[in-house]
Amino acid sequence: MTWLRLDRKVVAVDLVRAAASLIPTAVTAGVLGLEPGDAWPALAVAVIGVTRAAADLIRWATTRYRITDERVEMRGGLFVRGERWIARDRIRSVSSDARLAHRLFGLRVVTVGAGLTGVAGSTAALRIDAVSVETARRLHQMLDGDTHAPDTGQVLARFQPSWIFYNVLSVWAVFAGAALLWGGYWLGRLFGYDAFEHARRLADGVAPLWIVLIAALAFTIVGSAGLVVGFVSANWNFRLTRVAGNLRTTQGLLRTNTVDREEHRVRGIQIREPQVWRWLGVAETSLITTGVSLWSATGGATILPRGPVTVARATAAEILGSDVLSRPLRRPPRAALRRRLVRATVQAAVATVGWLPFGGPLDAIWLFPALLAVTTAGAVLAYRSLGHAVHDGYLVVRAGPLTRATAAVQLRAVIGWRVRQSFFQRRLGLATVTAATAAGQGAYTAHDIAATDVQGLVAAAGRAKYRPAPSCSMADPARLVPVARGLPEPPE
């Protein structure tokens, strides 16, 4: 196949960007009449904008790409020529997105991801920036066998306005508000207005406590408004559909983003619920899939925006074909709770002893009970978050005292097992079982299950077989008789 160029409309986009970057300079110099020394931020914006537009023009003139039967190739560069390629059998996802300027000119940026992370993760995806809408559809058709037509498949989830509420209730609203107000302050300084001095005059005679409360309220209101704008801009018109064997997410207000993930690579789903979110019934949902991570350049494994946990579980049931994430899990034995309570007591005692050189012996009278109450609450939360089960061919594990994560992994995707026991676990008849897989984070763990349950859990995989190695420090054989004597061979 011949080498192809990027769409010539990219030149028009660059001209628009260059013109837009000159607007602040024109306003400060022509309308406000500021001197160059006072208008340096606007001049910096103009220089950066024009420079980026010129560099983008050079990139358009020198970049070529092509798709062969074996791989996707791209080459370019003015002074230093480079060529990159991705084998087509290594492609894990194909996405297309368009900022407002691209949408005005009918352009799309197509990103081809190979699912690589780590040192080379930032360069593992090829970005074809930019091509026409029709060319983007053809690229999707060639790379994932989909015509990329409007979403006419099965709709699994759709944006709901009520989701905005769940994304506003965040402690980050205060920090976002502080950042926005700080930026507004410096913008006002550019135009000769000192908002801080104005606020100081208004605060004369006001009690310091009221000043702090009003400032916190202002930060929260402004930050919440910023979070609303950010969430709506990123997730407006969100749709999750099943189209031609792909799970497709489409979202965005000013910048549209479409990501296709091959469904046959999905090995499970994970639902994360931080403690505060659990009280509100909020969760984040991500795929456990091969070749795609949470930080992938093509959109990652996140399949739903933050929203109601009921929607997350219903969507997971549609994708997995089973409601395994809605079923009750088997809680570890009470010995697991005793282990955590003992650990909490030791932690409180050590922290109290460590404080004595800075305080006094009398401090231990109130410090130890206070710390013990906190660590005990954490121990109870940690225990209540634990659970495991095997349902419909899935291993379901749950853990996390502050951020509870519930993962359902296909048993056929498990490639190995690791059973670990500490000295105290052996005394309590507990074991920690980790299932290794090539998908997601690579390992999913059932913490502190009964040692006698290890055999049944591992045998449920069908082809797994576990025997303790002679050199490993396992429990007394009397405590792990069902395990040490071996597992039945999986059926033919």
Side-chain angles (χ1 to χ4, degrees):
M1 185 176 179
T2 59
W3 290 92
L4 304 175
R5 301 189 63 164
L6 303 177
D7 196 284
R8 62 173 62 91
K9 294 179 183 177
V10 172
V11 178
V13 173
D14 293 331
L15 293 177
V16 170
R17 288 175 176 172
S21 65
L22 296 174
I23 293 177
T25 302
V27 171
T28 54
V31 179
L32 302 177
L34 297 180
E35 296 296 330
D38 298 326
W40 65 266
L43 294 174
V45 170
V47 171
I48 294 174
V50 172
T51 302
R52 291 184 60 182
D56 214 34
L57 283 174
I58 296 175
R59 182 186 60 81
W60 170 81
T62 59
T63 300
R64 301 290 186 274
Y65 71 94
R66 70 177 179 181
I67 300 177
T68 67
D69 294 336
E70 293 81 20
R71 57 190 187 180
V72 181
E73 303 177 58
M74 177 179 289
R75 65 185 185 187
L78 181 61
F79 300 107
V80 179
R81 301 285 291 180
E83 182 171 346
R84 296 174 52 211
W85 57 270
I86 294 178
R88 294 185 62 171
D89 60 356
R90 300 298 301 171
I91 294 176
R92 295 296 180 262
S93 61
V94 181
S95 67
S96 63
D97 67 273
R99 294 183 175 88
L100 181 59
H102 288 93
R103 293 173 62 185
L104 292 176
F105 291 93
L107 298 176
R108 295 292 184 271
V109 180
V110 178
T111 304
V112 183
L116 300 178
T117 57
V119 176
S122 60
T123 60
L126 288 181
R127 284 176 52 87
I128 305 177
D129 180 8
V131 294
S132 65
V133 174
E134 184 58 34
T135 301
R137 290 177 179 173
R138 288 201 304 269
L139 291 175
H140 273 269
Q141 182 180 12
M142 295 175 65
L143 298 177
D144 60 25
D146 177 27
T147 59
H148 204 56
D151 296 328
T152 56
Q154 178 188 7
V155 179
L156 304 179
R158 191 185 297 272
F159 178 85
Q160 300 294 332
S162 60
W163 294 0
I164 299 175
F165 170 77
Y166 296 109
N167 288 269
V168 171
L169 297 176
S170 172
V171 68
W172 293 108
V174 178
F175 299 101
L180 291 173
L181 291 176
W182 182 255
Y185 166 75
W186 283 106
L187 181 62
R189 287 291 301 271
L190 177 63
F191 297 118
Y193 174 71
D194 192 340
F196 180 77
E197 182 64 23
H198 183 71
R200 189 181 64 80
R201 290 197 301 267
L202 292 176
D204 285 342
V206 181
L209 178 60
W210 282 106
I211 295 176
V212 173
L213 292 178
I214 293 173
L217 181 61
F219 290 166
T220 303
I221 293 175
V222 174
S224 297
L227 293 179
V228 169
V229 172
F231 178 77
V232 172
S233 176
N235 297 285
W236 184 257
N237 201 29
F238 171 86
R239 294 187 307 279
L240 170 62
T241 55
R242 178 181 279 126
V243 181
N246 293 321
L247 293 174
R248 173 181 299 167
T249 54
T250 305
Q251 62 197 93
L253 181 61
L254 300 179
R255 176 180 180 176
T256 60
N257 185 31
T258 301
V259 182
D260 285 344
R261 304 169 181 86
E262 296 176 305
E263 193 168 7
H264 71 87
R265 298 186 185 278
V266 175
R267 301 293 181 263
I269 286 182
Q270 178 172 272
I271 295 178
R272 297 178 68 256
E273 304 167 84
Q275 182 61 51
V276 177
W277 294 6
R278 283 156 58 185
W279 296 335
L280 300 174
V282 184
E284 284 183 343
T285 310
S286 59
L287 293 176
I288 299 173
T289 179
T290 58
V292 178
S293 69
L294 289 172
W295 304 275
S296 172
T298 57
T302 302
I303 203 68
L304 284 177
R306 185 189 309 170
V309 67
T310 54
V311 175
R313 290 171 179 166
T315 304
E318 290 286 346
I319 296 175
L320 301 179
S322 175
D323 61 345
V324 292
L325 287 172
S326 301
R327 300 182 189 180
L329 302 181
R330 183 172 183 177
R331 187 164 290 176
R334 303 289 291 185
L337 176 59
R338 294 198 303 271
R339 182 184 179 218
R340 281 158 177 77
L341 291 176
V342 171
R343 184 187 301 167
T345 304
V346 172
Q347 291 172 346
V350 170
T352 301
V353 172
W355 173 255
L356 292 180
F358 304 97
L362 295 179
D363 289 344
I365 298 176
W366 63 267
L367 183 59
F368 177 73
L371 292 177
L372 183 61
V374 174
T375 56
T376 299
V380 173
L381 286 176
Y383 173 75
R384 290 176 60 85
S385 296
L386 297 179
H388 68 279
V390 175
H391 296 304
D392 297 343
Y394 286 91
L395 169 67
V396 185
V397 295
R398 187 179 65 197
L402 298 180
T403 299
R404 185 173 70 181
T406 307
V409 185
Q410 293 176 354
L411 287 172
R412 66 180 181 87
V414 176
I415 58 178
W417 297 87
R418 179 175 181 263
V419 179
R420 184 181 62 83
Q421 287 185 299
S422 67
F423 172 80
F424 296 103
Q425 282 180 310
R426 293 199 299 270
R427 302 281 72 80
L428 295 172
L430 302 175
T432 296
V433 180
T434 300
T437 177
Q441 63 191 39
Y444 296 89
T445 302
H447 296 272
D448 284 348
I449 70 174
T452 53
D453 292 341
V454 174
Q455 176 186 12
L457 183 63
V458 178
R463 62 177 180 272
K465 184 178 181 180
Y466 166 71
R467 293 175 184 273
S471 60
C472 67
S473 179
M474 294 299 297
D476 186 334
R479 292 185 176 271
L480 286 176
V481 170
V483 178
R485 290 179 180 175
L487 301 176
E489 293 290 337
E492 295 295 334

